[in-house]
Amino acid sequence: GQQVMQIPQYQHVQEGEDFTTYCNSSTTLSNIQWYKQRPGGHPVFLIQLVKSGEVKKQKRLTFQFGEAKKNSSLHITATQTTDVGTYFCAARSFKAAGNKLTFGGGTRVLVKP
Amino acid sequence: DVKVTQSSRYLVKRTGEKVFLECVQDMDHENMFWYRQDPGLGLRLIYFSYDVKMKEKGDIPEGYSVSREKKERFSLILESASTNQTSMYLCASRLQGANSGNTIYFGEGSWLTVV
């Protein structure tokens, strides 16, 4: 079946620094979504990317969908303590039946003040 | 705002017990999902339902069953709980989407410990 890999699994970031987390799929995707889960909370939708090469920004967060629609990235600039949490990508393949999304393993972000 | 409510936040059950996890959403969404979340494994889909009385197996359905008698309610059932089912269970719902897909809204999660 479809596999979605996220790297790194853990990210320790100094406050103020930038970092990037990556999401890679074994199949071509119709769209990809990103979610953030704060410690003790539940995943909350951040954004959806649909078009090849698409780039979307939300304040300090930049989301990119690869040209081949097999990978995506989330880049955070000037990390703040409020960025702590686990970031998940969720991918929908063209081959996927019904409305099934496959989640990556997540990148857990810890921020050092 | 979409509200997805899971009836129990924390449960402790004994091995072999039958366990019901209840989920209700208030936005008339057609699609509902049950995931389990384990460290390093992300969210894994157990079952989903795209309409009343409809259900489809996800990636890890073994040991689980579901019930969707009403549109707003999706129940996850562990027929005979085992210790490897200790996990955090997340219910979610989504409006029936076109090819571009729609946002999934999650409940707060239910932490189940099987002893």
Side-chain angles (χ1 to χ4, degrees), chain A:
Chain A
Q2 179 187 357
Q3 291 189 351
V4 178
M5 305 296 294
Q6 265 187 269
I7 52 172
Q9 187 174 351
Y10 296 96
Q11 181 82 54
H12 292 233
V13 189
Q14 189 72 43
E15 190 174 13
E17 290 184 344
D18 302 352
F19 77 90
T20 304
T21 175
Y22 300 90
C23 181
N24 298 299
S25 169
S26 55
T27 60
T28 304
L29 305 172
S30 62
N31 65 70
I32 195 161
Q33 298 178 349
W34 284 90
Y35 291 78
K36 177 183 178 181
Q37 183 177 23
R38 294 184 185 276
H42 59 279
V44 175
F45 174 81
L46 293 176
I47 209 157
Q48 177 172 280
L49 304 170
V50 179
K51 299 177 183 176
S52 170
E54 187 172 12
V55 178
K56 288 188 177 180
K57 291 190 175 184
Q58 287 181 352
K59 297 183 180 178
R60 295 177 296 102
L61 277 62
T62 302
F63 304 84
Q64 187 164 5
F65 203 5
E67 293 290 342
K69 300 185 75 173
K70 282 190 171 185
N71 55 69
S72 180
S73 65
L74 160 58
H75 181 79
I76 300 182
T77 58
T79 305
Q80 300 177 358
T81 54
T82 53
D83 296 324
V84 165
T86 302
Y87 295 82
F88 292 99
C89 63
R92 186 167 179 220
S93 166
F94 281 110
K95 296 181 182 179
N99 290 306
K100 182 180 167 184
L101 285 178
T102 300
F103 280 80
T107 295
R108 185 176 174 187
V109 176
L110 302 172
V111 179
K112 295 177 284 187

